[in-house]
Amino acid sequence: MARMKFLCDAERCIECNACVTACKNEHEVPWGINRRRVVTIDDGHHGDEKSISVACMHCSDAPCQAVCPVDCFYTTPEGVVLHDKDICIGCGYCFYACPFGAPQYPQEGAFGARGKMDKCTFCAGGPEEDNSQAELDKYGRNRLAEGKLPLCAEMCSTKALLAGDGDIVADLFRNRVVRRGGRPDNWGWDTAYKEQL
Amino acid sequence: MAVADSLNKRKKMMLWSGIFILLVIVLLPMSGYIVTGLNESQQQSAEPTNPRADTWRQVRQGNEGYTAVTGQEANELIQGSGETWRQVRNGPMATYGSWFLGFVLLVIMAFYIMRGRVELTHPRTGETVERWTLNERRLHWTTAILFILLTITGLSILYGRAVLIPLLGYPGFSLYAVGAKFVHNTLGPVFMIALFAILVKFFRHNFFNKVDLEWFKAYGGMVGDKHPSAGRMNGGEKVWYWALATAGLALCFSGLVLDFPNFGQERQVIQLAHVIHLTTALLLIAFSFGHIYIGTIGTEGALEGMTTGQVDVAWAEQHHDLWLQEMREKNTDSPRSSE
């Protein structure tokens, strides 16, 4: 079975934030929560400026999963890291452990008390029945169950953001690097998947 | 003579040519340095680094970029300390923490089996003296009950996944953990106030002196049958006080960092606070095991002081003789009959 991965090609990302918007709209993500964000390094420095779209990378040995006190995370056979909002207690540990800053919390109560965690699902919903109303309400759309890939990558105008079978994503990116020269900077892969291209 | 002369000359020539050849062998290969020697170091530093690699090095070091998305530390691409925190918490902290608590319990059990209860050496006189005032007892039990609640809920968050999920199941433990988290986060600051009150109230009684040194030398009368002298607080109680005054304060302040995410403290600060919170909590929980043991089944007649406020004069004479003397001097009719 395919191992799902994200890859953002920093040579192509133009910081249009369409992935962020697409994600928010597709999943009806609540106010104040962004499952995906675009970060620009050396912003304003001509020639050095690089942008990367980042969300949950669906790590192989996910730190969030390891520190969760109620063990609400699970990895699907496709390598997508999902969590059960009925089990989550909103303790914040996954946010402390995550290298990518993926977990987000709606504020619930005074003094910043956290509600149930929300993060990128690789458009794969949650533990509820596929494409049920309950799944839509809690986790957003389950595009993988419909045979589609994550919308952020599908919408990307420069095809900087790639999502899908890790082998195919790696091949696409490797071909690009061969044609344009330079080094493959598959950002975040060594952290998330413990491997380079 | 001429023959000998020419032989000498030949020997000399051989010697000198030998030295010359050796020198050339050694020096000739080094002649390259005449050209490159000086430039070499310059060349090394002038070698251009891959500028793109610099970008990614910056990213790995957690340098901040710009992002249009608002959120805590959203402009940081990679946060490396999270993995360290995970390794520390799930590894040594959780593992050695459980061993440590188990070990302390075992030592206390073994001590109880071997030594048994420290009993009154003289029969009860029936005459009692007030050891803890009503306010002191209220303060003690408030802090004690909060401490126990925070211990149970805190250990549930640390060890519940391993211990309680097999018992309660995922939904069951989750429901309990929501409550545990709420209780822990709400009662934590209350405990802090109670602890502060205790620390202030008993401050003047807890300076170490020579009497305490003798008390420790005699193992506080717990080993053997000696009865070391003690004032109102004995050496052990003073150690417990200072443990609470140091580790307890660190526990409280690190807890505040974790309890109020609305101030936007960074993850690295939170991780450090969490490790401090765990270390001091495990330490004080182990300490409290000893405190509870000595105050209940470990010592005959100790618990009644904290429940009724009154202790028997025989008990006071045995455990806090200097304090009893002081009380008698202060108020000659202080020891009153319970009849």
Side-chain angles (χ1 to χ4, degrees):
Chain A
M1 193 167 254
R3 163 65 165 105
M4 293 299 176
K5 285 176 185 172
F6 276 126
L7 194 153
C8 183
D9 189 342
E11 303 297 317
R12 284 191 176 215
C13 181
I14 56 169
E15 199 203 351
C16 67
N17 281 291
C19 48
V20 179
T21 315
C23 175
K24 266 197 91 91
N25 188 61
E26 179 77 349
H27 301 297
E28 307 274 356
V29 179
W31 184 258
I33 291 179
N34 290 287
R35 292 183 177 180
R36 180 168 282 287
R37 65 191 196 275
V38 178
V39 180
T40 307
I41 305 294
D42 290 326
D43 189 31
H45 295 269
H46 182 71
D48 293 334
E49 199 179 283
K50 286 281 164 284
S51 294
I52 291 163
S53 173
V54 60
C56 171
M57 290 289 277
H58 303 278
C59 298
S60 302
D61 175 23
C64 53
Q65 202 160 12
V67 296
C68 180
V70 291
D71 202 5
C72 78
F73 291 89
Y74 62 100
T75 306
T76 70
E78 289 173 315
V80 178
V81 177
L82 297 177
H83 71 296
D84 189 337
K85 282 194 182 183
D86 293 341
I87 302 294
C88 172
I89 61 169
C91 66
Y93 282 15
C94 47
F95 176 64
Y96 308 160
C98 177
F100 302 104
Q104 308 279 307
Y105 307 86
Q107 189 174 327
E108 195 180 76
F111 303 115
R114 300 180 179 100
K116 292 183 184 301
M117 189 272 278
D118 190 273
K119 73 168 187 69
C120 160
T121 62
F122 209 88
C123 288
E128 267 79 10
E129 196 194 329
D130 284 348
N131 298 317
S132 61
Q133 188 61 40
E135 189 187 51
L136 182 68
D137 290 344
K138 286 182 199 163
Y139 309 96
R141 219 161 281 283
N142 189 340
R143 290 172 57 89
L144 245 57
E146 295 168 357
K148 300 169 185 166
L149 286 169
L151 190 65
C152 50
E154 297 285 283
M155 295 254 318
C156 183
S157 57
T158 59
K159 291 282 165 269
L161 187 61
L162 304 171
D165 182 344
D167 294 337
I168 296 172
V169 165
D171 281 346
L172 276 169
F173 185 63
R174 212 178 282 118
N175 278 335
R176 284 184 193 175
V177 174
V178 167
R179 281 183 203 174
R180 75 183 176 211
R183 299 182 186 195
D185 288 310
N186 51 338
W187 176 85
W189 274 42
D190 49 347
T191 304
Y193 314 128
K194 307 281 181 254
E195 64 177 43
Q196 283 292 338
L197 267 183
Chain B
M1 282 299 277
V3 178
D5 250 11
S6 72
L7 202 68
N8 237 347
K9 213 176 177 183
R10 259 176 72 185
K11 264 187 186 170
K12 249 184 192 169
M13 269 176 68
M14 272 171 74
L15 182 70
W16 281 111
S17 53
I19 289 172
F20 178 74
I21 288 166
L22 266 175
L23 269 174
V24 167
I25 287 171
V26 173
L27 289 175
L28 208 60
M30 292 166 83
S31 61
Y33 288 110
I34 297 167
V35 184
T36 61
L38 289 167
N39 297 338
E40 198 177 42
S41 58
Q42 287 170 334
Q43 270 182 341
Q44 265 174 355
S45 67
E47 188 166 295
T49 52
N50 178 6
R52 195 72 78 243
D54 280 345
T55 306
W56 303 123
R57 197 170 300 122
Q58 272 183 34
V59 167
R60 274 197 299 277
Q61 284 165 354
N63 279 25
E64 288 167 1
Y66 164 79
T67 181
V69 164
T70 53
Q72 193 184 343
E73 293 161 85
N75 58 353
E76 201 175 304
L77 270 172
I78 279 213
Q79 182 241 162
S81 56
E83 179 64 16
T84 314
W85 173 72
R86 165 212 176 163
Q87 300 290 356
V88 169
R89 176 194 180 265
N90 285 12
M93 298 298 308
T95 316
Y96 297 130
S98 61
W99 288 4
F100 176 59
L101 292 185
F103 174 74
V104 170
L105 280 179
L106 275 178
V107 166
I108 290 172
M109 257 167 66
F111 183 80
Y112 182 66
I113 290 163
M114 280 156 65
R115 171 67 169 86
R117 194 162 68 147
V118 176
E119 302 198 330
L120 288 173
T121 44
H122 298 283
R124 283 169 186 269
T125 58
E127 204 182 359
T128 61
V129 57
E130 187 179 52
R131 175 137 176 82
W132 306 106
T133 65
L134 183 61
N135 264 338
E136 286 167 344
R137 278 177 282 147
R138 276 181 186 151
L139 204 52
H140 173 267
W141 288 114
T142 309
T143 316
I145 290 164
L146 288 173
F147 185 91
I148 290 165
L149 282 173
L150 290 168
T151 299
I152 294 169
T153 51
L155 289 180
S156 301
I157 298 290
L158 181 59
Y159 295 118
R161 179 168 168 174
V163 178
L164 293 176
I165 287 179
L167 292 174
L168 304 173
Y170 287 90
F173 177 65
S174 171
L175 202 66
Y176 164 69
V178 168
K181 177 197 155 196
F182 179 78
V183 167
H184 200 88
N185 286 355
T186 313
L187 294 187
V190 182
F191 169 78
M192 184 170 145
I193 295 166
L195 182 69
F196 279 17
I198 273 203
L199 291 177
V200 169
K201 190 151 182 63
F202 292 141
F203 182 67
R204 65 193 176 92
H205 300 293
N206 281 287
F207 294 104
F208 287 103
N209 52 33
K210 269 188 184 153
V211 177
D212 298 319
L213 197 70
E214 294 303 316
W215 189 90
F216 283 117
K217 276 182 185 163
Y219 301 105
M222 291 188 73
V223 182
D225 294 318
K226 278 190 236 162
H227 294 135
S229 289
R232 188 175 187 207
M233 305 286 181
N234 64 35
E237 285 169 311
K238 287 178 185 176
V239 169
W240 180 220
Y241 176 91
W242 289 109
L244 287 170
T246 51
L249 287 191
L251 180 75
C252 288
F253 286 120
S254 58
L256 289 182
V257 174
L258 300 168
D259 205 358
F260 296 97
N262 53 316
F263 294 112
Q265 54 271 46
E266 293 196 350
R267 282 166 290 181
Q268 252 177 316
V269 177
I270 295 174
Q271 289 151 6
L272 184 67
H274 185 271
V275 170
I276 293 171
H277 199 71
L278 263 189
T279 316
T280 50
L282 290 167
L283 204 72
L284 289 178
I285 290 167
F287 236 113
S288 78
F289 287 162
H291 176 72
I292 292 167
Y293 166 76
I294 293 169
T296 55
I297 56 169
T299 317
E300 186 185 3
L303 186 63
E304 59 204 60
M306 202 41 96
T307 50
T308 66
Q310 303 286 325
V311 290
D312 199 278
V313 168
W315 183 90
E317 182 65 47
Q318 183 178 340
H319 293 286
H320 296 273
D321 50 348
L322 298 176
W323 167 71
L324 184 67
Q325 211 177 315
E326 202 179 299
M327 294 287 283
R328 275 184 171 142
E329 278 164 15
K330 206 157 61 179
N331 193 356
T332 40
D333 55 13
S334 164
R336 60 168 190 248
S337 174
S338 58
E339 268 90 40

